[in-house]
mmCIF file of all heavy atoms in Angstrom:
data_model
loop_
_atom_site.group_PDB
_atom_site.id
_atom_site.type_symbol
_atom_site.label_atom_id
_atom_site.label_comp_id
_atom_site.label_asym_id
_atom_site.label_seq_id
_atom_site.Cartn_x
_atom_site.Cartn_y
_atom_site.Cartn_z
ATOM 1 N N GLU A 1 72.309 82.197 28.837
ATOM 2 C CA GLU A 1 73.404 81.496 29.483
ATOM 3 C C GLU A 1 74.201 80.695 28.464
ATOM 4 O O GLU A 1 73.684 80.287 27.423
ATOM 5 C CB GLU A 1 72.865 80.556 30.561
ATOM 6 C CG GLU A 1 72.298 81.261 31.784
ATOM 7 C CD GLU A 1 73.383 81.901 32.605
ATOM 8 O OE1 GLU A 1 74.354 81.208 32.979
ATOM 9 O OE2 GLU A 1 73.277 83.108 32.879
ATOM 10 N N ARG A 2 75.461 80.491 28.782
ATOM 11 C CA ARG A 2 76.290 79.640 27.947
ATOM 12 C C ARG A 2 75.764 78.206 28.022
ATOM 13 O O ARG A 2 75.470 77.701 29.108
ATOM 14 C CB ARG A 2 77.739 79.711 28.416
ATOM 15 C CG ARG A 2 78.735 79.079 27.467
ATOM 16 C CD ARG A 2 80.171 79.417 27.856
ATOM 17 N NE ARG A 2 80.414 80.849 27.800
ATOM 18 C CZ ARG A 2 81.615 81.403 27.975
ATOM 19 N NH1 ARG A 2 82.676 80.653 28.210
ATOM 20 N NH2 ARG A 2 81.735 82.728 27.912
ATOM 21 N N GLU A 3 75.651 77.556 26.872
ATOM 22 C CA GLU A 3 75.092 76.219 26.826
ATOM 23 C C GLU A 3 76.009 75.258 26.088
ATOM 24 O O GLU A 3 76.708 75.633 25.142
ATOM 25 C CB GLU A 3 73.709 76.229 26.161
ATOM 26 C CG GLU A 3 73.721 76.640 24.698
ATOM 27 C CD GLU A 3 72.367 76.492 24.028
ATOM 28 O OE1 GLU A 3 71.500 75.785 24.569
ATOM 29 O OE2 GLU A 3 72.179 77.104 22.946
ATOM 30 N N LEU A 4 75.978 74.016 26.521
ATOM 31 C CA LEU A 4 76.741 72.965 25.865
ATOM 32 C C LEU A 4 76.089 72.618 24.535
ATOM 33 O O LEU A 4 74.894 72.341 24.474
ATOM 34 C CB LEU A 4 76.810 71.730 26.757
ATOM 35 C CG LEU A 4 77.509 70.494 26.186
ATOM 36 C CD1 LEU A 4 78.984 70.779 25.922
ATOM 37 C CD2 LEU A 4 77.356 69.320 27.142
ATOM 38 N N VAL A 5 76.876 72.610 23.480
ATOM 39 C CA VAL A 5 76.399 72.302 22.144
ATOM 40 C C VAL A 5 76.759 70.883 21.735
ATOM 41 O O VAL A 5 75.923 70.134 21.219
ATOM 42 C CB VAL A 5 76.968 73.295 21.116
ATOM 43 C CG1 VAL A 5 76.576 72.904 19.695
ATOM 44 C CG2 VAL A 5 76.492 74.706 21.436
ATOM 45 N N ALA A 6 78.018 70.504 21.944
ATOM 46 C CA ALA A 6 78.491 69.197 21.523
ATOM 47 C C ALA A 6 79.718 68.807 22.317
ATOM 48 O O ALA A 6 80.449 69.669 22.811
ATOM 49 C CB ALA A 6 78.812 69.184 20.027
ATOM 50 N N ARG A 7 79.951 67.509 22.419
ATOM 51 C CA ARG A 7 81.091 67.000 23.175
ATOM 52 C C ARG A 7 81.613 65.741 22.493
ATOM 53 O O ARG A 7 80.845 64.931 21.974
ATOM 54 C CB ARG A 7 80.676 66.707 24.617
ATOM 55 C CG ARG A 7 81.757 66.122 25.499
ATOM 56 C CD ARG A 7 81.332 66.216 26.963
ATOM 57 N NE ARG A 7 81.431 67.592 27.446
ATOM 58 C CZ ARG A 7 80.788 68.068 28.510
ATOM 59 N NH1 ARG A 7 79.966 67.275 29.195
ATOM 60 N NH2 ARG A 7 80.957 69.313 28.885
ATOM 61 N N VAL A 8 82.923 65.561 22.518
ATOM 62 C CA VAL A 8 83.541 64.388 21.931
ATOM 63 C C VAL A 8 84.603 63.854 22.889
ATOM 64 O O VAL A 8 85.366 64.622 23.478
ATOM 65 C CB VAL A 8 84.135 64.691 20.539
ATOM 66 C CG1 VAL A 8 85.213 65.765 20.609
ATOM 67 C CG2 VAL A 8 84.675 63.429 19.886
ATOM 68 N N THR A 9 84.642 62.541 23.046
ATOM 69 C CA THR A 9 85.610 61.917 23.936
ATOM 70 C C THR A 9 86.997 61.940 23.327
ATOM 71 O O THR A 9 87.191 62.302 22.165
ATOM 72 C CB THR A 9 85.202 60.483 24.258
ATOM 73 O OG1 THR A 9 85.020 59.747 23.044
ATOM 74 C CG2 THR A 9 83.911 60.452 25.058
ATOM 75 N N SER A 10 87.982 61.518 24.110
ATOM 76 C CA SER A 10 89.380 61.685 23.725
ATOM 77 C C SER A 10 89.750 60.994 22.423
ATOM 78 O O SER A 10 90.548 61.523 21.647
ATOM 79 C CB SER A 10 90.297 61.204 24.848
ATOM 80 O OG SER A 10 90.058 59.837 25.144
ATOM 81 N N THR A 11 89.164 59.835 22.184
ATOM 82 C CA THR A 11 89.470 59.086 20.971
ATOM 83 C C THR A 11 88.548 59.436 19.814
ATOM 84 O O THR A 11 88.766 58.972 18.692
ATOM 85 C CB THR A 11 89.384 57.580 21.208
ATOM 86 O OG1 THR A 11 88.043 57.213 21.531
ATOM 87 C CG2 THR A 11 90.305 57.164 22.352
ATOM 88 N N GLY A 12 87.527 60.216 20.085
ATOM 89 C CA GLY A 12 86.539 60.520 19.070
ATOM 90 C C GLY A 12 85.475 59.458 18.911
ATOM 91 O O GLY A 12 84.626 59.557 18.021
ATOM 92 N N GLY A 13 85.497 58.467 19.785
ATOM 93 C CA GLY A 13 84.597 57.339 19.653
ATOM 94 C C GLY A 13 83.181 57.573 20.141
ATOM 95 O O GLY A 13 82.291 56.779 19.841
ATOM 96 N N SER A 14 82.983 58.640 20.886
ATOM 97 C CA SER A 14 81.663 58.933 21.428
ATOM 98 C C SER A 14 81.405 60.426 21.339
ATOM 99 O O SER A 14 82.275 61.229 21.673
ATOM 100 C CB SER A 14 81.562 58.463 22.879
ATOM 101 O OG SER A 14 80.271 58.709 23.399
ATOM 102 N N THR A 15 80.210 60.774 20.899
ATOM 103 C CA THR A 15 79.817 62.175 20.792
ATOM 104 C C THR A 15 78.452 62.378 21.409
ATOM 105 O O THR A 15 77.665 61.440 21.547
ATOM 106 C CB THR A 15 79.778 62.643 19.335
ATOM 107 O OG1 THR A 15 78.853 61.829 18.599
ATOM 108 C CG2 THR A 15 81.154 62.537 18.688
ATOM 109 N N MET A 16 78.165 63.618 21.785
ATOM 110 C CA MET A 16 76.844 63.981 22.252
ATOM 111 C C MET A 16 76.528 65.380 21.759
ATOM 112 O O MET A 16 77.429 66.181 21.514
ATOM 113 C CB MET A 16 76.729 63.898 23.780
ATOM 114 C CG MET A 16 77.609 64.870 24.551
ATOM 115 S SD MET A 16 76.832 66.505 24.779
ATOM 116 C CE MET A 16 75.465 66.065 25.839
ATOM 117 N N TYR A 17 75.220 65.660 21.613
ATOM 118 C CA TYR A 17 74.770 66.928 21.067
ATOM 119 C C TYR A 17 73.560 67.434 21.826
ATOM 120 O O TYR A 17 72.737 66.656 22.311
ATOM 121 C CB TYR A 17 74.384 66.786 19.598
ATOM 122 C CG TYR A 17 75.508 66.321 18.713
ATOM 123 C CD1 TYR A 17 75.703 64.968 18.461
ATOM 124 C CD2 TYR A 17 76.371 67.235 18.131
ATOM 125 C CE1 TYR A 17 76.741 64.542 17.652
ATOM 126 C CE2 TYR A 17 77.412 66.816 17.320
ATOM 127 C CZ TYR A 17 77.590 65.467 17.083
ATOM 128 O OH TYR A 17 78.624 65.047 16.272
ATOM 129 N N ALA A 18 73.463 68.736 21.902
ATOM 130 C CA ALA A 18 72.234 69.336 22.391
ATOM 131 C C ALA A 18 71.101 69.014 21.425
ATOM 132 O O ALA A 18 71.307 68.908 20.216
ATOM 133 C CB ALA A 18 72.399 70.848 22.520
ATOM 134 N N ASP A 19 69.901 68.864 21.968
ATOM 135 C CA ASP A 19 68.756 68.535 21.125
ATOM 136 C C ASP A 19 68.559 69.552 20.004
ATOM 137 O O ASP A 19 68.135 69.195 18.901
ATOM 138 C CB ASP A 19 67.485 68.453 21.966
ATOM 139 C CG ASP A 19 67.441 67.226 22.844
ATOM 140 O OD1 ASP A 19 68.199 66.271 22.594
ATOM 141 O OD2 ASP A 19 66.632 67.215 23.795
ATOM 142 N N SER A 20 68.868 70.795 20.273
ATOM 143 C CA SER A 20 68.631 71.854 19.307
ATOM 144 C C SER A 20 69.513 71.763 18.060
ATOM 145 O O SER A 20 69.198 72.375 17.042
ATOM 146 C CB SER A 20 68.827 73.221 19.966
ATOM 147 O OG SER A 20 70.139 73.347 20.484
ATOM 148 N N VAL A 21 70.602 70.998 18.137
ATOM 149 C CA VAL A 21 71.524 70.926 17.003
ATOM 150 C C VAL A 21 71.665 69.525 16.439
ATOM 151 O O VAL A 21 72.360 69.341 15.426
ATOM 152 C CB VAL A 21 72.915 71.480 17.365
ATOM 153 C CG1 VAL A 21 72.801 72.881 17.952
ATOM 154 C CG2 VAL A 21 73.650 70.548 18.331
ATOM 155 N N LYS A 22 71.033 68.549 17.040
ATOM 156 C CA LYS A 22 71.135 67.173 16.554
ATOM 157 C C LYS A 22 70.673 67.078 15.107
ATOM 158 O O LYS A 22 69.640 67.618 14.732
ATOM 159 C CB LYS A 22 70.310 66.228 17.424
ATOM 160 C CG LYS A 22 70.935 65.919 18.768
ATOM 161 C CD LYS A 22 70.062 64.973 19.574
ATOM 162 C CE LYS A 22 70.692 64.664 20.923
ATOM 163 N NZ LYS A 22 69.830 63.805 21.760
ATOM 164 N N GLY A 23 71.455 66.371 14.317
ATOM 165 C CA GLY A 23 71.146 66.212 12.909
ATOM 166 C C GLY A 23 71.677 67.321 12.036
ATOM 167 O O GLY A 23 71.653 67.194 10.801
ATOM 168 N N ARG A 24 72.136 68.405 12.647
ATOM 169 C CA ARG A 24 72.654 69.536 11.884
ATOM 170 C C ARG A 24 74.139 69.789 12.138
ATOM 171 O O ARG A 24 74.852 70.208 11.227
ATOM 172 C CB ARG A 24 71.878 70.811 12.217
ATOM 173 C CG ARG A 24 70.395 70.725 11.890
ATOM 174 C CD ARG A 24 69.716 72.077 12.050
ATOM 175 N NE ARG A 24 69.778 72.571 13.415
ATOM 176 C CZ ARG A 24 70.368 73.710 13.779
ATOM 177 N NH1 ARG A 24 70.941 74.482 12.861
ATOM 178 N NH2 ARG A 24 70.361 74.094 15.050
ATOM 179 N N PHE A 25 74.584 69.567 13.369
ATOM 180 C CA PHE A 25 75.971 69.822 13.744
ATOM 181 C C PHE A 25 76.716 68.505 13.937
ATOM 182 O O PHE A 25 76.129 67.503 14.374
ATOM 183 C CB PHE A 25 76.054 70.604 15.056
ATOM 184 C CG PHE A 25 75.602 72.033 14.986
ATOM 185 C CD1 PHE A 25 74.932 72.544 13.891
ATOM 186 C CD2 PHE A 25 75.855 72.879 16.063
ATOM 187 C CE1 PHE A 25 74.517 73.864 13.846
ATOM 188 C CE2 PHE A 25 75.448 74.204 16.028
ATOM 189 C CZ PHE A 25 74.780 74.693 14.923
ATOM 190 N N THR A 26 78.012 68.521 13.647
ATOM 191 C CA THR A 26 78.860 67.365 13.860
ATOM 192 C C THR A 26 80.167 67.801 14.504
ATOM 193 O O THR A 26 80.868 68.665 13.970
ATOM 194 C CB THR A 26 79.170 66.640 12.542
ATOM 195 O OG1 THR A 26 77.955 66.253 11.897
ATOM 196 C CG2 THR A 26 80.008 65.390 12.813
ATOM 197 N N ILE A 27 80.482 67.205 15.650
ATOM 198 C CA ILE A 27 81.759 67.468 16.302
ATOM 199 C C ILE A 27 82.739 66.364 15.924
ATOM 200 O O ILE A 27 82.364 65.193 15.813
ATOM 201 C CB ILE A 27 81.603 67.576 17.835
ATOM 202 C CG1 ILE A 27 82.905 68.062 18.476
ATOM 203 C CG2 ILE A 27 81.140 66.265 18.447
ATOM 204 C CD1 ILE A 27 82.762 68.413 19.958
ATOM 205 N N SER A 28 83.983 66.737 15.716
ATOM 206 C CA SER A 28 85.015 65.769 15.394
ATOM 207 C C SER A 28 86.352 66.297 15.894
ATOM 208 O O SER A 28 86.467 67.454 16.301
ATOM 209 C CB SER A 28 85.068 65.490 13.889
ATOM 210 O OG SER A 28 85.391 66.669 13.169
ATOM 211 N N ARG A 29 87.353 65.438 15.865
ATOM 212 C CA ARG A 29 88.674 65.864 16.313
ATOM 213 C C ARG A 29 89.749 65.167 15.515
ATOM 214 O O ARG A 29 89.554 64.063 14.998
ATOM 215 C CB ARG A 29 88.858 65.586 17.813
ATOM 216 C CG ARG A 29 88.878 64.106 18.190
ATOM 217 C CD ARG A 29 88.745 63.923 19.698
ATOM 218 N NE ARG A 29 89.870 64.498 20.408
ATOM 219 C CZ ARG A 29 89.839 64.873 21.692
ATOM 220 N NH1 ARG A 29 88.708 64.738 22.390
ATOM 221 N NH2 ARG A 29 90.921 65.376 22.267
ATOM 222 N N ASP A 30 90.882 65.824 15.419
ATOM 223 C CA ASP A 30 92.063 65.265 14.798
ATOM 224 C C ASP A 30 93.179 65.356 15.828
ATOM 225 O O ASP A 30 93.773 66.414 16.014
ATOM 226 C CB ASP A 30 92.429 66.014 13.524
ATOM 227 C CG ASP A 30 93.562 65.358 12.762
ATOM 228 O OD1 ASP A 30 94.327 64.583 13.357
ATOM 229 O OD2 ASP A 30 93.691 65.626 11.551
ATOM 230 N N ASN A 31 93.441 64.250 16.508
ATOM 231 C CA ASN A 31 94.422 64.272 17.588
ATOM 232 C C ASN A 31 95.840 64.510 17.082
ATOM 233 O O ASN A 31 96.687 64.993 17.836
ATOM 234 C CB ASN A 31 94.352 62.969 18.388
ATOM 235 C CG ASN A 31 93.140 62.908 19.300
ATOM 236 O OD1 ASN A 31 92.475 63.923 19.533
ATOM 237 N ND2 ASN A 31 92.838 61.734 19.822
ATOM 238 N N SER A 32 96.101 64.184 15.835
ATOM 239 C CA SER A 32 97.418 64.451 15.272
ATOM 240 C C SER A 32 97.653 65.936 15.052
ATOM 241 O O SER A 32 98.795 66.375 14.952
ATOM 242 C CB SER A 32 97.610 63.690 13.959
ATOM 243 O OG SER A 32 96.822 64.237 12.920
ATOM 244 N N LYS A 33 96.567 66.708 14.979
ATOM 245 C CA LYS A 33 96.653 68.149 14.777
ATOM 246 C C LYS A 33 96.254 68.949 16.009
ATOM 247 O O LYS A 33 96.244 70.182 15.961
ATOM 248 C CB LYS A 33 95.776 68.574 13.602
ATOM 249 C CG LYS A 33 96.194 67.985 12.272
ATOM 250 C CD LYS A 33 95.287 68.465 11.158
ATOM 251 C CE LYS A 33 95.715 67.911 9.819
ATOM 252 N NZ LYS A 33 94.822 68.367 8.724
ATOM 253 N N ASN A 34 95.918 68.262 17.093
ATOM 254 C CA ASN A 34 95.469 68.931 18.322
ATOM 255 C C ASN A 34 94.336 69.917 18.032
ATOM 256 O O ASN A 34 94.338 71.051 18.516
ATOM 257 C CB ASN A 34 96.626 69.651 19.005
ATOM 258 C CG ASN A 34 97.582 68.707 19.704
ATOM 259 O OD1 ASN A 34 97.456 67.489 19.615
ATOM 260 N ND2 ASN A 34 98.550 69.267 20.417
ATOM 261 N N THR A 35 93.378 69.463 17.255
ATOM 262 C CA THR A 35 92.298 70.334 16.815
ATOM 263 C C THR A 35 90.959 69.629 16.930
ATOM 264 O O THR A 35 90.838 68.449 16.596
ATOM 265 C CB THR A 35 92.513 70.787 15.362
ATOM 266 O OG1 THR A 35 93.771 71.469 15.259
ATOM 267 C CG2 THR A 35 91.409 71.725 14.917
ATOM 268 N N VAL A 36 89.966 70.363 17.402
ATOM 269 C CA VAL A 36 88.597 69.886 17.430
ATOM 270 C C VAL A 36 87.769 70.782 16.517
ATOM 271 O O VAL A 36 88.016 71.990 16.426
ATOM 272 C CB VAL A 36 88.029 69.848 18.870
ATOM 273 C CG1 VAL A 36 87.989 71.240 19.485
ATOM 274 C CG2 VAL A 36 86.647 69.206 18.889
#
């Protein structure tokens, strides 16, 4: 099944990760570039 890996709030101030990727993956965003 499709699973949630990571999530970031609109300002980038809060992130969450699946246990399987914590410490290895990092989600980020650049709102000036409309890119996550």
Side-chain angles (χ1 to χ4, degrees):
E1 290 290 307
R2 191 169 298 186
E3 64 174 343
L4 177 63
V5 175
R7 178 166 286 160
V8 61
T9 55
S10 59
T11 64
S14 182
T15 59
M16 64 86 66
Y17 300 92
D19 288 343
S20 59
V21 307
K22 285 180 180 177
R24 299 188 298 119
F25 290 11
T26 303
I27 189 171
S28 62
R29 66 193 296 158
D30 187 339
N31 285 347
S32 71
K33 297 181 179 179
N34 286 5
T35 302
V36 62

